[in-house]
Structure formats: structure tokens, C-alpha cells
Amino acid sequence: MNAKSDVRLPAVSVIMPVLNEERHLRGAVQAILAQEYPGEMEVVIAVGPSADRTEEIAAELVREDPRVHVVPNPTGRTPAALNAAIKASRHPVVVRVDGHGMLSPGYIATAVRLLEETGAQNVGGIMHAEGENDWEHAVAAAMTSKIGVGNAAFHTGGEAAPAETVYLGVFRREALERQGGYNEEFIRAQDWELNFRIREAGGLIWFSPELKVSYRPRPSVKALAKQYKDYGRWRHVVARYHSGSINLRYLAPPTAVCAIAAGIVVGAVLTPWGFVIPGGYLAAIVAGSLPAGKGLPLKARLQIPVALATMHMSWGWGFLTSPKSLARKVIASRRAAVLPDADADTAGAH
């Protein structure tokens, strides 16, 4: 790239919400700083009240490189961290990276090119799950298989195309500002909800397999179950808040939970034939784990059905038990956020 073309490249702000990321934060930031992007770049880390050395590591990174900045996130919540980092950043392209995500080489340059080529408001790619031990390898295999996550391109890959949502995302700042940033009431599913609003406003969300971010899975069954329960819980809030945003793929896990529970009850009380449903589900995830685990060590392959069942059942249970009060809280919060602006516009008209 020559000097003349370098001048045209937009400056980039990388925003990172982090909480208890001692294990991966330094590596994630180093992967950002190592990007071969000729344009100006800054990294803004929004640090929540962590119980490990995250804040200390963030401070070290600031001392080591003038491009790195830190802002506090007292709530510890992801959407609040993202909004704080957006507010503290200053460049026209905003790249979201999580504290346990590792950008592939050329990620930022490719994303900026795709924004220009497609006219999209947000571009993103593949959430490339990679483990560091047998359990994490099993979870990574489950998270990148269709039996684990359906046909979501940002998990399983696919051709470049418009999408409902993408992993993390590289945004035009104007799109974020037009939407008022992330809705801070969405503890989870804030990406999906924001991308839904961008699409509703006529903006394009673009998926490309050229973009890849390595992701470290949760380190235990308990942590994975909590993660997916929260996913299901908050995806139901999105469905209530934005009518028409649900599809059959999202209804599969709660349907499976209901069917398996009904089968167990029928099998225990009425007839052993009821156990056909949970038995069939078990057989399906065992069979599905075979191609998903190809090339992995035996201990990892044996744990893939556990990871699949944990993801499905936790997501489905979270969706089914998501209280309606969460949606009401979100709606009330959004109204409170937009009413002052409406009042200001009215005042300015007189």
C-alpha cells in the first residue's frame, strides 16, 4: 500500500469490555497492536471491577504503548463497558474486541475494506472457538458444529452475505451514534439487539468468512451452562422487545427441553415409550459429536455430547424461564433514554 492510499484509510478505535480477563487480556491486546493497519489506531479498554489482575494488566498495557487507554466501568456490565469505551474513543471506525478474543492477522484492514466495498454499517466474521485443554476443545467443537448452534454463519462459516448479526463487529461510528449505542439493559444479546435496530433503520449487516476472531470457550460445565442460560434468557427478551425477531432456530432448544421433560414424565408415570424422546436426543448428540470431534484427542471427543447437551438445555431453560419483567424493564429504560432528547428537540423548535 503506498503513502497516497494510506492517507485515505480511516482511523480506527478498538473498544474492549473486560472483566476478570487476567488469563487472556494481554494476548488479546497484543493481537490488536500487531495488526498491519497503516491508518491511525487506538485501543480503549473499559475495565470492570475484577477479582483478578485484569486492572493491573490493563495499566501495564497503557504504560507500554501510547495507543492504549483505559476507562472505568463500575457496573461491570458488558453493554455499559462498550458505551463507555465508545464515548471515550474518537475515530470513525469502531472495532469491538472482547478480552478473550484474538484478532486474526489483517482483520482490521480487511474489515475496513469490506465496509467500503459493501456500504455496510457493521461487518463481522467467524467466532473461531479454540480450546487449550480437552474440555475446551470439546466445547469449541460443539460451538462450531451445526448440531450445536444450527446454521449461524458466524459460528459455522459460510459465504459472504447480508446477515442478521455477526460476531463482535466493525462499525461505522455514525451507525452507533444514530442508534444511541448499545442498550445497557441487555446484559446478554446486546449485539443481536443492536444489529436488529441497525437493520430496522435500513442499515446493512455484512458477514464475511475473511474475518476471523479466535475465541476461548468457558473453562467448565458450570460456566458454560451459565453462559448459555443467559443467552437464552436474554434472547427471549429481544423477542419480546422486538416483535417478529424470532425464528425457528431459536425455538429449537426450548422445544427440546419441553419434549425431553415430557418424555421423562410420561416414561416414569405412564409408559416406558416416553423415554424414546430423551433417548433419541441422546443418540442424536452422540452421533452428531462424531464428525464434530474429528481429529481431537479421545478425552475431548468423549466430552462433546456433554458440551452439546449443556448448551442446548441451558439455552432452552433460560429462554423458557426468562421473566416478562426483564422486557418491561428494558422498554422502560429505553423510553427514559429517548424522552429527554425528544423534549430537547421540542424546546429547540419554539
Side-chain angles (χ1 to χ4, degrees):
M1 212 174 271
N2 59 41
K4 185 176 180 180
S5 62
D6 290 354
V7 174
R8 298 196 188 104
L9 289 173
V12 169
S13 296
V14 181
I15 59 170
M16 300 183 70
V18 299
L19 178 71
N20 295 323
E21 289 289 359
E22 174 185 21
R23 182 179 173 192
H24 300 300
L25 178 57
R26 177 170 288 278
V29 173
Q30 288 174 341
I32 296 167
L33 298 177
Q35 293 283 306
E36 294 185 358
Y37 183 70
E40 186 180 352
M41 182 172 66
E42 65 176 352
V43 181
V44 181
I45 308 173
V47 182
S50 302
D52 60 10
R53 295 183 59 252
T54 296
E55 294 178 61
E56 180 181 337
I57 293 170
E60 291 173 357
L61 291 166
V62 170
R63 290 194 295 269
E64 293 167 7
D65 195 301
R67 293 173 292 176
V68 181
H69 314 281
V70 169
V71 294
N73 174 33
T75 69
R77 294 181 172 184
T78 300
L82 290 165
N83 284 343
I86 292 168
K87 184 177 181 180
S89 66
R90 55 197 173 92
H91 295 322
V93 173
V94 179
V95 181
R96 175 180 172 177
V97 182
D98 284 347
H100 46 271
M102 310 292 170
L103 298 187
S104 57
Y107 180 92
I108 292 177
T110 301
V112 170
R113 172 176 59 80
L114 289 171
L115 283 174
E116 178 63 26
E117 290 178 354
T118 64
Q121 301 298 300
N122 179 20
V123 300
I126 296 174
M127 178 182 180
H128 184 63
E130 294 181 322
E132 296 181 333
N133 54 47
D134 288 331
W135 165 250
E136 291 180 2
H137 286 313
V139 176
M143 292 180 70
T144 54
S145 67
K146 290 191 175 181
I147 192 172
V149 294
N151 61 352
F154 69 87
H155 280 298
T156 60
E159 295 183 358
E164 289 185 342
T165 191
V166 290
Y167 181 53
L168 301 179
V170 178
F171 300 84
R172 298 177 189 271
R173 176 178 292 276
E174 61 200 40
L176 293 173
E177 293 178 345
R178 192 177 300 121
Q179 294 302 325
Y182 291 84
N183 189 325
E184 296 188 13
E185 293 301 322
F186 281 88
I187 309 305
R188 294 281 188 181
Q190 67 274 159
D191 288 322
W192 205 102
E193 194 275 337
L194 173 60
N195 285 321
F196 182 87
R197 285 188 279 127
I198 291 173
R199 289 188 290 109
E200 285 289 284
L204 174 67
I205 310 298
W206 187 262
F207 165 81
S208 173
E210 293 183 76
L211 300 173
K212 183 189 293 185
V213 182
S214 295
Y215 167 86
R216 300 291 185 254
R218 295 298 192 268
S220 67
V221 173
K222 181 179 179 181
L224 183 67
K226 183 181 184 306
Q227 178 187 19
Y228 272 78
K229 179 185 174 183
D230 287 345
Y231 282 167
R233 175 186 177 101
W234 285 96
R235 186 62 188 84
H236 201 167
V237 176
V238 175
R240 291 189 181 115
Y241 185 58
H242 295 296
S243 60
S245 65
I246 200 71
N247 59 43
L248 292 177
R249 178 165 67 89
Y250 295 111
L251 295 177
T255 301
V257 170
C258 292
I260 290 169
I264 292 173
V265 171
V266 170
V269 176
L270 298 177
T271 170
W273 284 103
F275 291 117
V276 168
I277 296 175
Y281 171 76
L282 180 60
I285 61 173
V286 169
S289 71
L290 297 178
K294 187 176 181 181
L296 293 179
L298 178 61
K299 287 184 178 180
R301 296 201 303 270
L302 292 175
Q303 295 181 79
I304 294 175
V306 178
L308 288 169
T310 301
M311 291 161 56
H312 294 162
M313 296 299 102
S314 299
W315 203 103
W317 180 251
F319 189 94
L320 290 168
T321 59
S322 178
K324 291 183 179 179
S325 59
L326 282 179
R328 288 195 291 268
K329 183 179 179 183
V330 168
I331 292 169
S333 171
R334 201 64 184 175
R335 284 175 177 166
V338 300
L339 282 176
D341 292 338
D343 293 342
D345 291 342
T346 303
H350 290 292

